[in-house]
Amino acid sequence: MSAATFNPFEMAQRQFDGVAKQLGLDQATCDLLRNPDREVHFNIPVRMDDGTYRVFRGFRCLHSDARGPAKGGIRFHPNETIDTIRALSMWMTWKTACVDIPLGGAKGGVICDPRELSLREQELICRGWIRQVWRLVGPVQDVPAPDVMTNGQHMIWMLDEYEKITGMKYPGFITGKPLGVGGSLGRTEATGYGVMYCVREALKALGIDAKNTTAAVQGFGNVSQFAIQKYTQMGGKVVALSCWDNSIKKPVTFIKKSGATYEELIGITDKFGTIDQAKAKALGYEIADGGAWLEQEVDILVPAAKEGELTGETISKIKPTVKIIAEGANGPTTPEADEVIKAKGIFLIPDFLCNAGGVTCSYFEQVQNNMNYYWPKEEVLEKLDAKMTVGFAGVYNMAQENKVYMRDAAYMVAIKRVADAVKLRGLV
Ligand code: GLU
């Protein structure tokens, strides 16, 4: 699967099929779990600021709600495809099962580029999305959240539309809300911190001190920003960061051997996440092409941008120094790249374990919404750390006991839990 032919849903099914066989799942359970339970495609007509009309295409896929209400984010992306959403909905099912939270898996999206839309236009897309799916989603059915290029502001517009239509207050309808309107402290940091709680556990397993390590990170969105913050707090050094530059419409790598920090980088980043190259140079960064992050002599690689980035081709460029790959993004590694990672004996922290901190904290947000009582940040992060650490241990032990690759071990843990739920319900 090269970057050009990369189909995330085919990849998700391929990964599933391999493990289903290993687990000896019966045909009906395989048929049920290798496709989403349902999907909706719809139009969102919007009157643009210049008075013209545009119709955006929206989606919601519910992969499985066998273990509880479905859960998963909504992506805004110009290259969004239904197959990406299908794959991501499936990975959400494995993610919630892997860290053992009582939720299922779903994902949604809209084909649009928020970087080119006004806030008003974005608000109308959010409200239009809800008007199309409000009967199918809800606090005890399917609970959306932020994802690629969506944030707390989008969530609160969606919540407001849902509450206007239903005439009730349902703070647990959606997660990733801003503070003060049902949001949870720690939710913004949760995914990135969760990635690093896993890295900490992996380093422990390998007997390496975080203080002696360096990392290269791809992406500078919500996940990687807080992963960088936590990693530097742990004593590690981020020496390279690859980030999308919206002015030249391609990614750029910022290299600083003495170590980049979240605070320094965020100080020179615009509201769309583009890092100012001139300011970066003035701060001692060297600028290289977008792929250069992968070719650094580092201990840890953190792909935290998007799916399909580590391919059979790009993975060949990594240096022998790399000991850990921590998948902050969903589906960043193709099966071909997996073979190379396996052969090199690199410690992989698979996506739906590694980035499960976001949905875990979303679950805590829902719990707090239901109680209408909110925990201090330390308590949220402590609970998050505990959940991630246990989740990591479950997968690591499975990998050790069965001598399997970490991704396969994560699939084994997750698929087994979902298959058991499906059986207990008597679905197949
Ligand atoms: N979009 C995030 C993910 O892929 C969070 C989902 C959620 O909180 O429901 O895990």
Side-chain angles (χ1 to χ4, degrees), residues 336-358:
E336 289 75 15
D338 263 333
E339 291 309 317
V340 178
I341 297 170
K342 246 185 251 181
K344 287 185 193 279
I346 295 170
F347 193 114
L348 177 93
I349 312 173
D351 53 359
F352 62 80
L353 165 67
C354 194
N355 69 30

Side-chain angles (χ1 to χ4, degrees), residues 12 15-16 33-34 63 87 89-100 104-105 352-353 410-411 414-416 418-419:
Q15 291 170 340
F16 170 79
L33 296 179
R34 74 192 301 283
H63 174 258
S89 71
M90 192 194 267
W91 285 326
M92 283 310 300
T93 303
W94 312 139
K95 195 181 297 194
T96 51
C98 186
V99 287
D100 204 9
F352 62 80
L353 165 67
Y411 266 107
I415 294 176
K416 169 93 178 53
V418 181

Side-chain angles (χ1 to χ4, degrees), residues 49-64:
D49 290 350
D50 64 5
T52 60
Y53 285 85
R54 267 181 72 187
V55 179
F56 296 91
R57 200 75 185 138
F59 311 99
R60 184 73 177 171
C61 273
L62 188 157
H63 174 258
S64 169

Side-chain angles (χ1 to χ4, degrees), residues 71 74 129-130 139 143-146 154-156 158-159 170-177 182 365-366 369:
K71 189 83 192 76
I74 301 170
W129 195 92
I130 293 297
V143 182
H154 298 111
M155 298 304 109
I156 199 68
M158 290 185 170
L159 175 70
Y170 288 114
F173 156 66
I174 204 161
T175 60
K177 299 178 292 293
E365 183 176 330
Q366 273 194 302
N369 292 153

Side-chain angles (χ1 to χ4, degrees), residues 245-267:
D245 187 316
N246 207 35
S247 57
I248 52 170
K249 306 271 181 239
K250 56 179 193 178
V252 176
T253 300
F254 297 86
I255 301 169
K256 192 172 184 180
K257 295 275 184 273
S258 59
T261 65
Y262 163 74
E263 288 72 20
E264 186 175 85
L265 290 165
I266 205 77

Side-chain angles (χ1 to χ4, degrees), residues 130-386:
I130 293 297
R131 281 203 292 276
Q132 288 287 22
V133 294
W134 71 274
R135 282 188 182 81
L136 298 171
V137 291
V140 291
Q141 287 168 279
D142 176 4
V143 182
D147 205 290
V148 170
M149 285 204 270
T150 54
N151 56 37
Q153 178 63 74
H154 298 111
M155 298 304 109
I156 199 68
W157 284 326
M158 290 185 170
L159 175 70
D160 186 67
E161 190 66 24
Y162 184 76
E163 291 184 338
K164 279 206 172 90
I165 293 172
T166 56
M168 306 278 178
K169 289 288 168 194
Y170 288 114
F173 156 66
I174 204 161
T175 60
K177 299 178 292 293
L179 296 175
V181 276
S184 171
L185 288 163
R187 177 64 185 86
T188 316
E189 295 89 343
T191 317
Y193 279 19
V195 168
M196 284 304 153
Y197 295 149
C198 288
V199 167
R200 181 195 64 204
E201 295 306 303
L203 286 169
K204 234 186 254 173
L206 296 173
I208 303 172
D209 186 344
K211 293 193 184 70
N212 302 327
T213 64
T214 53
V217 180
Q218 184 191 32
F220 197 52
N222 174 259
V223 181
S224 73
Q225 289 176 7
F226 291 100
I228 291 171
Q229 189 184 60
K230 181 51 75 190
Y231 179 62
T232 26
Q233 283 168 9
M234 282 158 51
K237 218 185 259 178
V238 175
V239 299
L241 171 81
S242 171
C243 171
W244 184 257
D245 187 316
N246 207 35
S247 57
I248 52 170
K249 306 271 181 239
K250 56 179 193 178
V252 176
T253 300
F254 297 86
I255 301 169
K256 192 172 184 180
K257 295 275 184 273
S258 59
T261 65
Y262 163 74
E263 288 72 20
E264 186 175 85
L265 290 165
I266 205 77
I268 54 170
T269 302
D270 73 15
K271 65 176 176 166
F272 298 114
T274 297
I275 298 173
D276 189 306
Q277 291 193 30
K279 287 183 187 158
K281 273 189 197 149
L283 287 169
Y285 287 85
E286 189 193 313
I287 317 271
D289 70 83
W293 75 282
L294 203 62
E295 300 167 35
Q296 305 301 310
E297 290 204 333
V298 290
D299 304 290
I300 304 166
L301 291 176
V302 185
K306 60 179 175 55
E307 57 284 347
E309 288 289 323
L310 301 184
T311 62
E313 195 188 318
T314 58
I315 201 75
S316 64
K317 300 189 178 144
I318 69 170
K319 294 281 185 283
T321 53
V322 174
K323 295 168 194 74
I324 295 174
I325 296 180
E327 296 183 327
N330 290 312
T333 308
T334 66
E336 289 75 15
D338 263 333
E339 291 309 317
V340 178
I341 297 170
K342 246 185 251 181
K344 287 185 193 279
I346 295 170
F347 193 114
L348 177 93
I349 312 173
D351 53 359
F352 62 80
L353 165 67
C354 194
N355 69 30
V359 73
T360 302
C361 200
S362 278
Y363 165 59
F364 295 152
E365 183 176 330
Q366 273 194 302
V367 172
Q368 294 170 84
N369 292 153
N370 292 344
M371 296 188 295
N372 209 7
Y373 175 76
Y374 291 82
W375 305 325
K377 188 169 178 177
E378 298 65 43
E379 191 174 341
V380 176
L381 293 177
E382 231 169 73
K383 287 183 162 65
L384 177 67
D385 193 346

